[in-house]
Amino acid sequence: SAEWGFNTESFFFTFHAVHLGLLPATNHWTRVNQEIGEIKGAIEEANANASRQGLSPMLLEFQMAQYKNVLTERMQLKYSLDSLLFNPPLVRSVFRFLNYASLWLLRVAFGSLDDDFPGTLPSEPPEDFAALPEFMVDSLADILLLYLRHGPRFQCISHDLDVKNLITMLVHFMPSSSF
């Protein structure tokens, strides 16, 4: 058993930073986008109901001003999060780390340093894998899904990103509830 050193500690600190920083930011981005959709829906509904309910123009104008202020705040936050999360250099760094972390998780799960993984995982996770925090695989999958789903719209996903290990990890881990 090798001593833990700087590289090992840096790896786990980075993984923890992804879990405590990047993942909550992506969840916040998702919530802000949902809120924007809800506010836009409320504006449309208020406009449609104004004529049916006979609201005074002054009351409708006040209500619309409130909606638009909240919408402006949410849009500013969305644009800030867009520029943070979909910054191409950050995305490249995140994918490089996620790809490396996926390879490492596969090696621990299979108990092998080879990069050629057999078809199925062992029936029970090795002791080293079982000792890892549960969030590791979930965090990788959540961040990967966000970038694959929304990244192309922001043109931050390039075709030269290496995701082979990420996909291999997902293919192996998804059907196995014990991993």
Side-chain angles (χ1 to χ4, degrees):
S1 100
E3 290 289 317
W4 283 45
F6 177 76
N7 290 344
T8 305
E9 289 185 20
S10 296
F11 174 78
F12 282 104
F13 280 137
T14 304
F15 221 118
H16 208 61
V18 166
H19 180 68
L20 295 178
L22 186 63
L23 189 60
T26 62
N27 293 337
H28 190 58
W29 181 85
T30 301
R31 279 193 311 276
V32 166
N33 279 293
Q34 290 169 345
E35 290 172 5
I36 288 170
E38 291 168 3
I39 294 167
K40 287 179 178 179
I43 290 172
E44 289 175 14
E45 187 178 324
N47 279 330
N49 289 338
S51 60
R52 278 188 261 140
Q53 294 175 351
L55 288 177
S56 72
M58 187 181 217
L59 182 59
L60 180 63
E61 186 178 324
F62 176 73
Q63 194 176 34
M64 287 299 131
Q66 285 183 319
Y67 281 135
K68 288 180 181 177
N69 286 339
V70 173
L71 182 61
T72 300
E73 285 178 15
R74 295 284 105 191
M75 291 300 291
Q76 289 171 346
L77 181 56
K78 178 196 177 321
Y79 294 142
S80 296
L81 288 169
D82 286 352
S83 67
L84 168 75
L85 293 173
F86 299 100
N87 179 6
L90 173 72
V91 172
R92 278 191 300 280
S93 295
V94 166
F95 268 89
R96 228 180 356 261
F97 175 74
L98 295 180
N99 199 49
Y100 175 74
S102 298
L103 176 63
W104 181 81
L105 284 169
L106 285 164
R107 287 175 175 172
V108 173
F110 281 105
S112 168
L113 293 178
D114 292 338
D115 291 352
D116 186 31
F117 305 106
T120 58
L121 288 165
S123 59
E124 289 296 317
E127 189 175 311
D128 289 342
F129 189 87
L132 295 173
E134 292 180 13
F135 68 79
M136 291 181 109
V137 174
D138 290 340
S139 295
L140 290 176
D142 289 345
I143 292 170
L144 176 66
L145 288 174
L146 172 94
Y147 281 123
L148 292 180
R149 183 178 297 145
H150 301 289
R153 181 171 38 149
F154 293 94
Q155 299 176 352
C156 66
I157 304 291
S158 63
H159 296 290
D160 63 341
L161 287 176
D162 183 12
V163 294
K164 177 184 163 246
N165 296 326
L166 281 162
I167 301 302
T168 303
M169 182 199 69
L170 291 175
V171 167
H172 283 292
F173 287 178
M174 293 299 258
S176 176
S177 60
S178 58
F179 281 85

PDB file of all heavy atoms in Angstrom, residues 48 73-74 89 98 101 117-119 123-124 133 139 153 163 175 178:
ATOM      1  N   ALA A  48     -53.606  37.199 -20.130  1.00  0.00           N
ATOM      2  CA  ALA A  48     -54.821  36.543 -20.610  1.00  0.00           C
ATOM      3  C   ALA A  48     -55.987  36.756 -19.647  1.00  0.00           C
ATOM      4  O   ALA A  48     -57.127  36.969 -20.079  1.00  0.00           O
ATOM      5  CB  ALA A  48     -54.573  35.052 -20.806  1.00  0.00           C
ATOM      6  N   GLU A  73     -34.141  40.192 -12.768  1.00  0.00           N
ATOM      7  CA  GLU A  73     -33.180  39.662 -11.785  1.00  0.00           C
ATOM      8  C   GLU A  73     -32.781  38.227 -12.120  1.00  0.00           C
ATOM      9  O   GLU A  73     -31.606  37.870 -12.076  1.00  0.00           O
ATOM     10  CB  GLU A  73     -33.781  39.691 -10.383  1.00  0.00           C
ATOM     11  CG  GLU A  73     -33.853  41.047  -9.747  1.00  0.00           C
ATOM     12  CD  GLU A  73     -34.519  40.990  -8.382  1.00  0.00           C
ATOM     13  OE1 GLU A  73     -34.658  39.877  -7.812  1.00  0.00           O
ATOM     14  OE2 GLU A  73     -34.895  42.064  -7.883  1.00  0.00           O
ATOM     15  N   ARG A  74     -33.768  37.409 -12.435  1.00  0.00           N
ATOM     16  CA  ARG A  74     -33.497  36.002 -12.763  1.00  0.00           C
ATOM     17  C   ARG A  74     -32.670  35.886 -14.047  1.00  0.00           C
ATOM     18  O   ARG A  74     -31.784  35.044 -14.139  1.00  0.00           O
ATOM     19  CB  ARG A  74     -34.802  35.214 -12.931  1.00  0.00           C
ATOM     20  CG  ARG A  74     -35.632  35.094 -11.684  1.00  0.00           C
ATOM     21  CD  ARG A  74     -35.055  34.070 -10.730  1.00  0.00           C
ATOM     22  NE  ARG A  74     -34.424  34.768  -9.628  1.00  0.00           N
ATOM     23  CZ  ARG A  74     -33.638  34.227  -8.715  1.00  0.00           C
ATOM     24  NH1 ARG A  74     -33.378  32.949  -8.741  1.00  0.00           N
ATOM     25  NH2 ARG A  74     -33.099  34.917  -7.765  1.00  0.00           N
ATOM     26  N   PRO A  89     -12.900  27.145 -21.610  1.00  0.00           N
ATOM     27  CA  PRO A  89     -11.734  26.617 -20.886  1.00  0.00           C
ATOM     28  C   PRO A  89     -12.121  25.835 -19.625  1.00  0.00           C
ATOM     29  O   PRO A  89     -11.513  24.814 -19.311  1.00  0.00           O
ATOM     30  CB  PRO A  89     -10.926  27.874 -20.528  1.00  0.00           C
ATOM     31  CG  PRO A  89     -11.319  28.880 -21.555  1.00  0.00           C
ATOM     32  CD  PRO A  89     -12.769  28.599 -21.841  1.00  0.00           C
ATOM     33  N   LEU A  98     -13.076  14.932 -15.200  1.00  0.00           N
ATOM     34  CA  LEU A  98     -14.118  13.896 -15.130  1.00  0.00           C
ATOM     35  C   LEU A  98     -13.687  12.625 -15.858  1.00  0.00           C
ATOM     36  O   LEU A  98     -13.962  11.514 -15.396  1.00  0.00           O
ATOM     37  CB  LEU A  98     -15.431  14.414 -15.719  1.00  0.00           C
ATOM     38  CG  LEU A  98     -16.114  15.561 -14.981  1.00  0.00           C
ATOM     39  CD1 LEU A  98     -17.401  15.960 -15.706  1.00  0.00           C
ATOM     40  CD2 LEU A  98     -16.395  15.240 -13.543  1.00  0.00           C
ATOM     41  N   ALA A 101     -11.129  10.987 -13.607  1.00  0.00           N
ATOM     42  CA  ALA A 101     -11.797  10.436 -12.418  1.00  0.00           C
ATOM     43  C   ALA A 101     -12.596   9.184 -12.778  1.00  0.00           C
ATOM     44  O   ALA A 101     -12.643   8.223 -12.002  1.00  0.00           O
ATOM     45  CB  ALA A 101     -12.711  11.491 -11.792  1.00  0.00           C
ATOM     46  N   PHE A 117     -11.453  -3.063 -19.650  1.00  0.00           N
ATOM     47  CA  PHE A 117     -12.363  -3.544 -18.615  1.00  0.00           C
ATOM     48  C   PHE A 117     -13.263  -4.636 -19.171  1.00  0.00           C
ATOM     49  O   PHE A 117     -13.806  -4.494 -20.259  1.00  0.00           O
ATOM     50  CB  PHE A 117     -13.194  -2.376 -18.080  1.00  0.00           C
ATOM     51  CG  PHE A 117     -12.336  -1.251 -17.586  1.00  0.00           C
ATOM     52  CD1 PHE A 117     -12.206  -0.084 -18.316  1.00  0.00           C
ATOM     53  CD2 PHE A 117     -11.621  -1.382 -16.412  1.00  0.00           C
ATOM     54  CE1 PHE A 117     -11.401   0.952 -17.875  1.00  0.00           C
ATOM     55  CE2 PHE A 117     -10.809  -0.359 -15.956  1.00  0.00           C
ATOM     56  CZ  PHE A 117     -10.700   0.813 -16.690  1.00  0.00           C
ATOM     57  N   PRO A 118     -13.434  -5.729 -18.401  1.00  0.00           N
ATOM     58  CA  PRO A 118     -14.308  -6.805 -18.867  1.00  0.00           C
ATOM     59  C   PRO A 118     -15.756  -6.331 -18.961  1.00  0.00           C
ATOM     60  O   PRO A 118     -16.082  -5.235 -18.527  1.00  0.00           O
ATOM     61  CB  PRO A 118     -14.136  -7.897 -17.815  1.00  0.00           C
ATOM     62  CG  PRO A 118     -13.563  -7.224 -16.626  1.00  0.00           C
ATOM     63  CD  PRO A 118     -12.859  -5.992 -17.104  1.00  0.00           C
ATOM     64  N   GLY A 119     -16.600  -7.177 -19.491  1.00  0.00           N
ATOM     65  CA  GLY A 119     -17.991  -6.803 -19.763  1.00  0.00           C
ATOM     66  C   GLY A 119     -18.816  -6.404 -18.565  1.00  0.00           C
ATOM     67  O   GLY A 119     -19.619  -5.503 -18.643  1.00  0.00           O
ATOM     68  N   SER A 123     -19.814  -8.943  -8.817  1.00  0.00           N
ATOM     69  CA  SER A 123     -21.136  -8.926  -8.181  1.00  0.00           C
ATOM     70  C   SER A 123     -21.160  -8.035  -6.941  1.00  0.00           C
ATOM     71  O   SER A 123     -22.157  -7.383  -6.658  1.00  0.00           O
ATOM     72  CB  SER A 123     -21.585 -10.344  -7.827  1.00  0.00           C
ATOM     73  OG  SER A 123     -20.642 -10.935  -6.955  1.00  0.00           O
ATOM     74  N   GLU A 124     -20.074  -7.993  -6.209  1.00  0.00           N
ATOM     75  CA  GLU A 124     -19.960  -7.121  -5.042  1.00  0.00           C
ATOM     76  C   GLU A 124     -18.812  -6.140  -5.265  1.00  0.00           C
ATOM     77  O   GLU A 124     -17.761  -6.510  -5.772  1.00  0.00           O
ATOM     78  CB  GLU A 124     -19.678  -7.944  -3.783  1.00  0.00           C
ATOM     79  CG  GLU A 124     -20.862  -8.765  -3.307  1.00  0.00           C
ATOM     80  CD  GLU A 124     -22.039  -7.897  -2.881  1.00  0.00           C
ATOM     81  OE1 GLU A 124     -21.831  -6.881  -2.188  1.00  0.00           O
ATOM     82  OE2 GLU A 124     -23.176  -8.222  -3.270  1.00  0.00           O
ATOM     83  N   PRO A 133     -16.903   7.787  -1.093  1.00  0.00           N
ATOM     84  CA  PRO A 133     -18.175   8.493  -0.906  1.00  0.00           C
ATOM     85  C   PRO A 133     -19.153   8.179  -2.040  1.00  0.00           C
ATOM     86  O   PRO A 133     -18.750   8.082  -3.202  1.00  0.00           O
ATOM     87  CB  PRO A 133     -17.787   9.970  -0.926  1.00  0.00           C
ATOM     88  CG  PRO A 133     -16.320  10.010  -0.715  1.00  0.00           C
ATOM     89  CD  PRO A 133     -15.774   8.703  -1.191  1.00  0.00           C
ATOM     90  N   SER A 139     -22.175  12.529  -8.944  1.00  0.00           N
ATOM     91  CA  SER A 139     -21.713  13.859  -9.345  1.00  0.00           C
ATOM     92  C   SER A 139     -21.182  13.846 -10.771  1.00  0.00           C
ATOM     93  O   SER A 139     -21.497  14.738 -11.567  1.00  0.00           O
ATOM     94  CB  SER A 139     -20.608  14.354  -8.403  1.00  0.00           C
ATOM     95  OG  SER A 139     -21.110  14.546  -7.109  1.00  0.00           O
ATOM     96  N   ARG A 153     -25.614  24.094 -27.069  1.00  0.00           N
ATOM     97  CA  ARG A 153     -26.299  25.375 -27.279  1.00  0.00           C
ATOM     98  C   ARG A 153     -25.356  26.543 -27.005  1.00  0.00           C
ATOM     99  O   ARG A 153     -25.476  27.602 -27.600  1.00  0.00           O
ATOM    100  CB  ARG A 153     -27.518  25.430 -26.363  1.00  0.00           C
ATOM    101  CG  ARG A 153     -28.335  26.671 -26.476  1.00  0.00           C
ATOM    102  CD  ARG A 153     -29.609  26.557 -25.707  1.00  0.00           C
ATOM    103  NE  ARG A 153     -29.410  25.846 -24.455  1.00  0.00           N
ATOM    104  CZ  ARG A 153     -30.112  26.088 -23.358  1.00  0.00           C
ATOM    105  NH1 ARG A 153     -31.048  26.982 -23.369  1.00  0.00           N
ATOM    106  NH2 ARG A 153     -29.900  25.410 -22.254  1.00  0.00           N
ATOM    107  N   VAL A 163     -14.252  11.681 -23.928  1.00  0.00           N
ATOM    108  CA  VAL A 163     -15.262  11.241 -22.963  1.00  0.00           C
ATOM    109  C   VAL A 163     -15.368   9.715 -22.911  1.00  0.00           C
ATOM    110  O   VAL A 163     -16.298   9.181 -22.320  1.00  0.00           O
ATOM    111  CB  VAL A 163     -16.651  11.859 -23.268  1.00  0.00           C
ATOM    112  CG1 VAL A 163     -16.625  13.355 -23.081  1.00  0.00           C
ATOM    113  CG2 VAL A 163     -17.121  11.488 -24.652  1.00  0.00           C
ATOM    114  N   PRO A 175     -26.310  -0.134 -14.843  1.00  0.00           N
ATOM    115  CA  PRO A 175     -27.150  -1.296 -14.554  1.00  0.00           C
ATOM    116  C   PRO A 175     -26.880  -1.945 -13.200  1.00  0.00           C
ATOM    117  O   PRO A 175     -27.632  -2.805 -12.762  1.00  0.00           O
ATOM    118  CB  PRO A 175     -26.804  -2.295 -15.680  1.00  0.00           C
ATOM    119  CG  PRO A 175     -25.592  -1.791 -16.339  1.00  0.00           C
ATOM    120  CD  PRO A 175     -25.356  -0.392 -15.907  1.00  0.00           C
ATOM    121  N   SER A 178     -25.413  -2.012  -6.938  1.00  0.00           N
ATOM    122  CA  SER A 178     -24.452  -2.105  -5.837  1.00  0.00           C
ATOM    123  C   SER A 178     -23.240  -1.204  -6.053  1.00  0.00           C
ATOM    124  O   SER A 178     -22.416  -1.050  -5.173  1.00  0.00           O
ATOM    125  CB  SER A 178     -23.993  -3.557  -5.634  1.00  0.00           C
ATOM    126  OG  SER A 178     -23.414  -4.070  -6.798  1.00  0.00           O
TER     127      SER A 178
END
